[in-house]
Amino acid sequence: VGTLTQGADGLTYTGTFTPDASTTADTNVISLTTTGYVDIAGNEGAAAQTANNYRVDTETPKAPAQPSFDEDLGQSTSDNLTADDEVTLEVVAEKDGTVVFYDGATELTGTVTSVAHSSDATLEVFTLAGVTLAEGSHVITAKVTDTAGNTSVASASRTIVVDTTAPTVSSVALISDTETTYGVLNAGDKVTAKVTFDDDVYLVNTASTSNPV
């Protein structure tokens, strides 16, 4: 404690101190010895006094893991591209912390719930459901604040791309590599059907569903 300052009543003294950064200490007390205070007549204090124990925690928690989401739809379930504009975000972070998710610099609102981590008792899995994202790209991060009020740096980001625009057919053409008469296909002609779309698509309900067009 620094220099004590006497209050207006003459009976109360106050002092302040600042714990060091990145410090965790569970047992701490402030003590005043009998020689630490003397009355105006010169009498030393009658008894030593010790304040209640207090805990110091100025250590910044580790950044949460990279966020994930459940609605990665389409041909791939791991490309962060989805046609669903309402997603559920998840992140692993310090147990008992308070997690906030961000879309760029914007805090995402809603109720964040948590459950115990499956293999690490010091961590929890935090979930924010029902997040509506506009069409386009979204850079999602998370921060955690521990019970002492220390806030972590942002997690690694995950970029989610929302695409809710249905693809359309731009054109359908028949291409023959042999002669035709007035646009009429003749017996034996080899014809190719060419379909052009306005977006990358893949075939469904065919013998080759995994091949993009």
Side-chain angles (χ1 to χ4, degrees):
V1 179
T3 301
L4 297 179
T5 301
Q6 187 178 25
D9 60 3
L11 301 177
T12 303
Y13 287 77
T14 58
T16 60
F17 71 99
T18 302
D20 293 334
S22 303
T23 299
T24 301
D26 290 332
T27 303
N28 304 273
V29 294
I30 295 176
S31 299
L32 185 64
T33 66
T34 56
T35 58
Y37 59 106
V38 181
D39 66 17
I40 58 176
N43 300 300
E44 292 185 351
Q49 296 291 328
T50 300
N52 293 333
N53 181 71
Y54 62 93
R55 183 173 183 269
V56 172
D57 179 2
T58 61
E59 188 170 0
T60 302
K62 292 181 179 179
Q66 185 184 38
S68 61
F69 72 111
D70 290 344
E71 293 79 7
D72 196 337
L73 307 179
Q75 184 182 16
S76 170
T77 58
S78 60
D79 60 0
N80 301 318
L81 175 63
T82 182
D84 193 339
D85 62 357
E86 185 173 305
V87 301
T88 297
L89 302 175
E90 284 190 353
V91 75
V92 175
E94 181 177 310
K95 180 182 179 182
D96 296 328
T98 300
V99 165
V100 176
F101 290 91
Y102 295 86
D103 180 1
T106 302
E107 180 179 333
L108 295 173
T109 59
T111 301
V112 177
T113 59
S114 64
V115 296
H117 191 274
S118 60
S119 60
D120 190 333
T122 67
L123 300 174
E124 288 181 323
V125 180
F126 295 83
T127 302
L128 177 60
V131 178
T132 300
L133 300 176
E135 182 153 344
S137 181
H138 300 268
V139 180
I140 305 300
T141 58
K143 294 180 181 181
V144 62
T145 300
D146 64 19
T147 54
N150 305 300
T151 301
S152 73
V153 299
S155 67
S157 64
R158 181 175 299 279
T159 300
I160 300 174
V161 178
V162 177
D163 179 0
T164 59
T165 302
T168 60
V169 176
S170 299
S171 64
V172 179
L174 297 178
I175 303 171
S176 174
D177 62 355
T178 56
E179 293 295 331
T180 63
T181 302
Y182 303 112
V184 178
L185 299 179
N186 300 315
D189 286 349
K190 181 180 179 182
V191 180
T192 301
K194 181 180 180 181
V195 182
T196 303
F197 299 90
D198 69 342
D199 197 357
D200 291 334
V201 300
Y202 65 98
L203 300 177
V204 294
N205 299 325
T206 72
S208 149
T209 58
S210 63
N211 294 327
V213 177

